[in-house]
Amino acid sequence: MNEQVRRSPDGSRRPLSEAYDTALLDLDGVVYAGGRAIEHAVASLIRARDGGMHLAYVTNNAARTPQAVADQLTGFGLPTGAGDVITSAQAVARLIAEQVPAGARVLAIGGEGLLVALRERGLEPVLSADDDPAAVVQGYDPTLDWGRLAEAAYAVQRGVPWFASNTDLTIPKERGIAPGNGALVEVVRIAAGGTPQVAGKPQPPMHRETVLRTGAERPLVIGDRLDTDIEGACNGGVDSLLVLTGVTTAAELLAAPPQHRPAYVDADLRGLLAPQPEVTEQDGGFRCGGWRAEAVGDTLAVTGAGTALDGLRALCAAAWTAAGDGSCGADAGKALARIGM
């Protein structure tokens, strides 16, 4: 990744599946949404893997075990082993194990994936703040009730070290966007105060866990969220591909601060299989395909014709260059409508 502030999306003459050895793929919003595979995801990933790219699935969702995730992907027609799945539960279990005695009790507020990860590190999950835990950890669990959150709050109030698998405020589901683990972490914070140690994306423990488990040398992070996937790639010093199949909108991408700017942008995972068009600076504006974009005062403007994605890439260059080290506040509404986004 370029160490300077990114001013525009990158181009690639080779398909990304050839330019990088390992795809570090987010799951929710990238490969699937809830219980259904996202269109084009499975076919694209199979082609990338058949071409020699290693696929690893990196998720902040700590609710399920790696085997359960692998089984779901296999059910979609994408044969996957548990070793190909890295979860924030695994990252936070390692983080806890490095700070508490071997075999320590941990108050676990989360699903089966969190419990399994803790046991793999030799830690003993317990259910109550009265069980003398050495740590309390929160991980996503869609069935979590008030009583479990209350136990976490009681433990934190007593000074027990507090950890969280991740702090994603939302999670994509078939019916829309639902509250994520970060929303539940906020509930405990409101009741007990303090701030947990966080392992999941975009924090370094998740990147470390991923590298340890995959051995990737030229990884490409692929995600749908600027504040987890893309920022995590930035923190790890690796390139990233943003796909527009999840929570990030085109307007949010244009307003992204430096740590949220991906190297590449595409509609979906088919972007792995093709070269990425170059954005060029010309006459004070930026061109991609048949589009030319520029910042005019407090407005982004675009002219020309072509695919919506090329227009978006050109607009990203105009917006990010105008913003520099900050977030672009220019009005992009008319420009996005002009390119059909």
Side-chain angles (χ1 to χ4, degrees):
M1 185 184 71
N2 191 341
E3 293 182 356
Q4 298 178 347
V5 174
R6 187 179 299 283
R7 304 296 188 186
S8 83
D10 292 343
S12 175
R13 294 183 179 180
R14 300 164 61 196
L16 299 181
S17 58
E18 297 177 8
Y20 298 88
D21 69 339
T22 305
L24 304 180
L25 293 133
D26 184 47
L27 287 169
D28 291 304
V30 176
V31 181
Y32 56 62
R36 65 172 181 84
I38 288 174
E39 189 175 9
H40 307 299
V42 172
S44 298
L45 291 174
I46 289 174
R47 283 185 57 191
R49 184 172 60 191
D50 288 348
M53 189 178 218
H54 176 210
L55 306 181
Y57 302 93
V58 186
T59 177
N60 265 1
N61 188 332
R64 296 187 297 160
T65 65
Q67 186 61 60
V69 174
D71 289 345
Q72 181 181 16
L73 294 172
T74 300
F76 290 146
L78 184 60
T80 305
D84 296 321
V85 180
I86 301 95
T87 74
S88 62
Q90 294 171 323
V92 78
R94 187 188 298 269
L95 187 63
I96 295 169
E98 292 171 345
Q99 299 182 42
V100 303
R105 295 178 176 182
V106 177
L107 175 57
I109 312 299
E112 183 66 16
L114 182 61
L115 303 180
V116 167
L118 291 170
R119 293 186 182 116
E120 286 178 345
R121 291 288 161 197
L123 303 171
E124 179 186 351
V126 296
L127 299 177
S128 172
D130 296 334
D131 289 330
D132 194 26
V136 55
V137 59
Q138 285 184 261
Y140 178 71
D141 180 358
T143 67
L144 204 62
D145 61 21
W146 179 91
R148 305 296 297 132
L149 292 173
E151 291 297 327
Y154 301 150
V156 174
Q157 289 167 26
R158 296 172 188 177
V160 177
W162 183 20
F163 297 81
S165 63
N166 68 295
T167 51
D168 297 38
L169 292 173
T170 61
I171 186 168
K173 292 294 185 181
E174 300 97 321
R175 296 170 59 194
I177 303 299
N181 192 55
L184 302 179
V185 169
E186 282 298 296
V187 171
V188 174
R189 185 191 63 77
I190 290 168
T195 303
Q197 294 185 53
V198 181
K201 297 177 286 186
Q203 303 304 321
M206 190 66 171
H207 182 72
R208 178 181 59 157
E209 191 73 21
T210 300
V211 170
L212 287 172
R213 289 179 180 268
T214 65
E217 296 182 357
R218 300 189 317 279
L220 177 68
V221 170
I222 305 172
D224 70 307
R225 303 182 70 107
L226 300 178
D227 59 349
T228 54
D229 305 313
I230 307 308
E231 185 175 341
C234 182
N235 290 341
V238 298
D239 286 340
S240 60
L241 165 66
L242 178 78
V243 290
L244 301 175
T245 49
V247 301
T248 298
T249 66
E252 290 168 342
L253 177 61
L254 295 180
Q259 71 272 22
H260 290 173
R261 296 172 188 172
Y264 310 102
V265 181
D266 222 302
D268 52 53
L269 286 175
R270 289 176 294 179
L272 269 178
L273 306 175
Q276 291 285 312
E278 184 178 5
V279 180
T280 59
E281 186 172 4
Q282 188 178 66
D283 300 328
F286 298 87
R287 289 190 175 275
C288 186
W291 295 104
R292 180 183 182 278
E294 63 179 332
V296 182
D298 59 358
T299 301
L300 292 176
V302 64
T303 56
T307 69
L309 276 169
D310 283 347
L312 180 60
R313 294 177 181 116
L315 283 167
C316 283
W320 298 350
T321 298
D325 295 347
S327 299
C328 182
D331 182 9
K334 289 183 179 179
L336 288 173
R338 174 76 175 80
I339 65 173
M341 300 194 83

